[in-house]
Amino acid sequence: QVQLVESGGGLVQAGGSLRLSCAASGRTFSNYAMGWFRQAPGKERGFVAAINRSGGSTYYADSVKGRFTISRDYAKNTVNLQMNSMKPEDTAVYYCAARSPVFSTTPTDYNYWGQGTQVTVSS
């Protein structure tokens, strides 16, 4: 069991930046691959970014590649999502998720989820 709590969401203007954080409970953080997903109103939850257990491998959705960066801090049991050059289409509720042992781009492959944090990008 692991509890995930997202933070850092808010309102940002197009072209701006925002940094999301996800705090994980427990001492087994390093055993989990972590992912970020987002869900806009009326749309399915979709993949954003993922990072493997060691932090040495990352993967991004084409829509965010080159703009977003996922990272993890083992000392703090957190995974972060740095979002730059944001666009209105980035507006969504953002969720962090965990699974073992490898990351996936499919939401149903993850068994631990945070509560989500709202990100709104204005034009």
Side-chain angles (χ1 to χ4, degrees), residues 59-78:
Y59 188 74
Y60 299 91
D62 288 341
S63 59
V64 307
K65 192 172 300 181
R67 300 188 298 120
F68 291 9
T69 302
I70 188 171
S71 62
R72 62 195 303 167
D73 186 331
Y74 297 95
K76 296 181 178 179
N77 279 7
T78 60

Side-chain angles (χ1 to χ4, degrees), residues 29-43:
F29 179 61
S30 62
N31 291 333
Y32 294 91
M34 304 293 295
W36 284 97
F37 294 80
R38 64 188 181 186
Q39 188 166 20
K43 302 188 70 175

Side-chain angles (χ1 to χ4, degrees), residues 31-111:
N31 291 333
Y32 294 91
M34 304 293 295
W36 284 97
F37 294 80
R38 64 188 181 186
Q39 188 166 20
K43 302 188 70 175
E44 297 291 325
R45 189 170 300 187
F47 172 75
V48 176
I51 189 166
N52 72 340
R53 291 180 295 171
S54 69
S57 181
T58 58
Y59 188 74
Y60 299 91
D62 288 341
S63 59
V64 307
K65 192 172 300 181
R67 300 188 298 120
F68 291 9
T69 302
I70 188 171
S71 62
R72 62 195 303 167
D73 186 331
Y74 297 95
K76 296 181 178 179
N77 279 7
T78 60
V79 59
N80 304 304
L81 185 69
Q82 179 65 47
M83 304 182 291
N84 299 325
S85 302
M86 299 192 72
K87 305 174 180 180
E89 51 263 45
D90 294 324
T91 296
V93 176
Y94 282 70
Y95 300 88
C96 66
R99 73 179 307 274
S100 183
V102 297
F103 66 70
S104 170
T105 62
T106 304
T108 53
D109 286 343
Y110 290 80
N111 52 349

